[in-house]
Amino acid sequence: MIKEMIQAGGAALALVAALYGGAAAAHGRVAMEEDTCMRRLGDSSMVHLSAYQPQYEPGDQYCTEIPKEGNTFLVVDLVDPALRDIPIGVRVVRGTNEADDETVTYMRPSYHPDGVINGETSLDEGEYTVFITGDSVPPVRYEYPLRVQMINYAKTFRTAIGPLIAALLLSFLAYKIMHSKRVRQWRASRRS
């Protein structure tokens, strides 16, 4: 009986670790090809977007989900060295349409030999799109949707499912242990 309980507990912990480990993987600890902040155009042309709000969390870096409204620093890394030799511009619009929606921030196209474009913008709650364009033949164009201070229910569910399963499994294990024959006999012997 004890052996079965230990095996059940070990299996429960292994399951929880497997499920929760996926939710704990952060933006900075993934391969470049799997990074959701990386955009690829063609075979090798790549850029990477990072957003920072040091007034709230100095060390945290975001991509498409910005937790709070306010001043936000945007950093675009031109991963492909060829992009450093063409003028690259950045436009942040409220909404999804570069031509029709309100432009919040515009950084005119210029050369970036160091491969980094820095900018600051103030974002209110809502949806935005970052357009990164390059003046070349063919033209270079990347898009990043941004959600500012909006609840992502899917992400919240994925984050909560691991601890919830762990609590359910531990509750089930505790129930089984408390209602086992040995524990009932032990509790009866303690009462007498």
Side-chain angles (χ1 to χ4, degrees):
M1 180 70 163
I2 298 292
K3 184 178 178 182
E4 291 171 357
M5 286 189 283
I6 291 173
Q7 287 175 340
L13 289 175
L15 179 65
V16 168
L19 290 173
Y20 193 68
H27 164 220
R29 294 185 290 182
V30 296
M32 191 177 289
E33 294 78 21
E34 298 171 5
D35 190 344
T36 58
C37 298
M38 185 70 66
R39 294 292 187 267
R40 179 184 298 268
L41 187 65
D43 291 335
S44 63
S45 182
M46 294 188 305
V47 297
H48 184 272
L49 174 71
S50 298
Y52 301 91
Q53 292 185 317
Q55 70 273 25
Y56 302 119
E57 295 293 333
D60 286 355
Q61 148 182 336
Y62 311 103
C63 180
T64 57
E65 297 289 330
I66 312 297
K68 298 184 181 188
E69 60 185 4
N71 289 342
T72 305
F73 293 93
L74 300 175
V75 178
V76 178
D77 294 310
L78 304 174
V79 178
D80 180 14
L83 294 174
R84 300 170 189 189
D85 297 329
I86 62 172
I88 303 287
V90 177
R91 182 182 305 269
V92 180
V93 300
R94 178 181 282 282
T96 59
N97 189 324
E98 186 176 18
D100 297 335
D101 288 335
E102 171 193 358
T103 297
V104 176
T105 300
Y106 178 67
M107 293 177 250
R108 61 183 182 76
S110 63
Y111 293 94
H112 303 278
D114 62 350
V116 179
I117 303 171
N118 293 316
E120 182 179 0
T121 187
S122 181
L123 301 174
D124 295 326
E125 180 179 342
E127 294 183 353
Y128 296 82
T129 305
V130 177
F131 295 96
I132 302 166
T133 56
D135 297 335
S136 67
V137 177
V140 176
R141 181 179 171 88
Y142 304 93
E143 291 183 25
Y144 287 91
L146 297 181
R147 292 170 41 94
V148 178
Q149 198 171 338
M150 298 177 74
I151 296 173
N152 183 340
Y153 292 104
K155 184 177 179 181
T156 303
F157 177 75
R158 283 191 307 269
T159 302
I161 193 71
L164 180 62
I165 289 175
L168 290 173
L169 288 173
L170 291 174
S171 297
F172 177 72
L173 185 60
Y175 174 80
K176 284 296 201 180
I177 290 171
M178 293 306 293
H179 288 87
S180 70
K181 186 176 181 180
R182 285 189 181 178
V183 171
R184 284 190 302 195
Q185 289 173 349
W186 177 77
R187 287 173 55 196
S189 70
R190 299 280 297 174
R191 287 185 200 146
S192 47

